[in-house]
Amino acid sequence: MFRRLRHVSALVVAGGAVLVAGCNVQLSLGSEAKDQWQRHYTLARGGTLEIRNTNGLIHIEPGEGDAVDVTADRLVKASTDQAAKDGLAAFEIQESVSPDHILLDGTGRNGGINISFNMSRRIDYRVRVPEWANVVLTSTNGEIQVGPKLTGTMRAETTNGRIKGTGLENSVKASTTNGTINLDVAKLGEDGISGETTNGTVDVTVPAASAARLSVRVTNGAIRTEGLNNLTYSEQSRRRVEATIGDGGPAIKLETTNGAVTVRGR
């Protein structure tokens, strides 16, 4: 169930260029067109919001009741004004909606930079969800933000960008390649916490009196634990930590290649 909210005003602006990594090709994207896409849905309790993005921010925050309110700012850059306008007109966000699952997919078949058509595309999502909703968020180039409260589960994955979650009260899985992971978890879910990056730090805060199993791996970096009650190590080295917090419980698994991992109690 959803209601379409029409609020579109295309704008063309001069300026900007994109360098395609690894290709030594400078795409001159001197014009841009943008609009704002809005939707309102209702979600059944225990349901899931899923967003798939290529370039741009995904920001999730708690709303009221069972409402899901989406504002998506779409931006297309191209070499001419007309090409930017045409690209924006063809830039679709696919919707798949059922009572317990909402999927928004803005990746398209030609998502991101399309060299053939000298064009780049971006969507910045700002979404209000029921605080009990589960969220599944994927991106390629962009930051993912969730909070300041979520009692549903969170799964977030990006390639180039930071993942930040605050006030989380359930299971969390966060993965990026080039970016930091910062998670403030107020309550552990039964599936615990998983955080993995290649180039970046991992910083996780949990209640000091948590009961959990801690497993940390780093290659080039340090491991720090601060303020955790009844922390018992079974293995501790510069690159690896295995420990029990309190009486043990859900797993907290954290890993990075280039960066530090910090786990602190609050």
Side-chain angles (χ1 to χ4, degrees), residues 3-264:
R3 182 170 73 250
R4 294 174 181 262
L5 304 179
R6 188 68 176 173
H7 180 69
V8 177
S9 57
L11 175 66
V12 178
V13 183
V18 173
L19 180 64
V20 181
C23 298
N24 293 322
V25 177
Q26 182 81 23
L27 302 184
S28 178
L29 306 182
S31 298
E32 65 180 41
K34 56 187 177 181
D35 68 4
Q36 191 171 84
W37 184 97
Q38 294 183 314
R39 294 291 187 273
H40 175 87
Y41 311 91
T42 57
L43 184 65
R45 182 168 286 274
T48 299
L49 169 70
E50 181 175 359
I51 296 178
R52 300 173 187 170
N53 200 15
T54 300
N55 300 309
L57 170 73
I58 302 176
H59 175 85
I60 305 294
E61 62 184 62
E64 297 181 358
D66 59 0
V68 176
D69 292 302
V70 181
T71 298
D73 293 314
R74 299 187 292 187
L75 173 67
V76 174
K77 292 185 178 182
S79 56
T80 67
D81 291 357
Q82 190 60 51
K85 290 179 180 179
D86 292 344
L88 182 63
F91 193 1
E92 296 185 356
I93 298 175
Q94 300 294 326
E95 303 167 83
S96 176
V97 181
S98 67
D100 62 355
H101 188 264
I102 299 167
L103 168 63
L104 305 178
D105 188 344
T107 59
R109 295 184 62 184
N110 298 310
I113 296 175
N114 187 317
I115 297 176
S116 300
F117 295 94
N118 202 14
M119 184 179 296
S120 72
R121 310 190 304 177
R122 176 187 177 97
I123 306 175
D124 289 329
Y125 289 94
R126 298 186 182 274
V127 186
R128 296 176 66 88
V129 302
E131 67 176 39
W132 41 257
N134 304 307
V135 296
V136 178
L137 313 170
T138 59
S139 184
T140 302
N141 301 302
E143 182 174 350
I144 296 175
Q145 305 170 348
V146 177
K149 183 176 182 180
L150 184 73
T151 61
T153 61
M154 169 183 164
R155 192 169 77 204
E157 180 178 355
T158 186
T159 301
N160 300 304
R162 180 176 71 158
I163 297 174
K164 182 178 181 180
T166 58
L168 307 177
E169 298 185 15
N170 211 318
S171 304
V172 182
K173 184 175 183 180
S175 174
T176 184
T177 300
N178 300 304
T180 62
I181 296 174
N182 190 305
L183 303 174
D184 183 346
V185 179
K187 181 179 179 181
L188 290 176
E190 62 180 16
D191 292 328
I193 302 169
S194 174
E196 181 178 355
T197 185
T198 300
N199 299 305
T201 59
V202 180
D203 193 308
V204 175
T205 300
V206 298
S210 295
R213 293 172 288 115
L214 178 63
S215 178
V216 181
R217 304 284 186 277
V218 301
T219 302
N220 301 304
I223 300 173
R224 305 183 186 92
T225 57
E226 305 170 357
L228 297 167
N229 296 347
N230 301 317
L231 182 65
T232 304
Y233 292 98
S234 58
E235 181 177 348
Q236 185 179 20
S237 68
R238 186 180 69 81
R239 295 184 178 180
R240 179 169 178 168
V241 163
E242 298 287 340
T244 300
I245 308 172
D247 295 329
I252 302 175
K253 297 182 177 180
L254 310 173
E255 183 174 354
T256 183
T257 300
N258 300 305
V261 174
T262 302
V263 185
R264 58 173 56 89

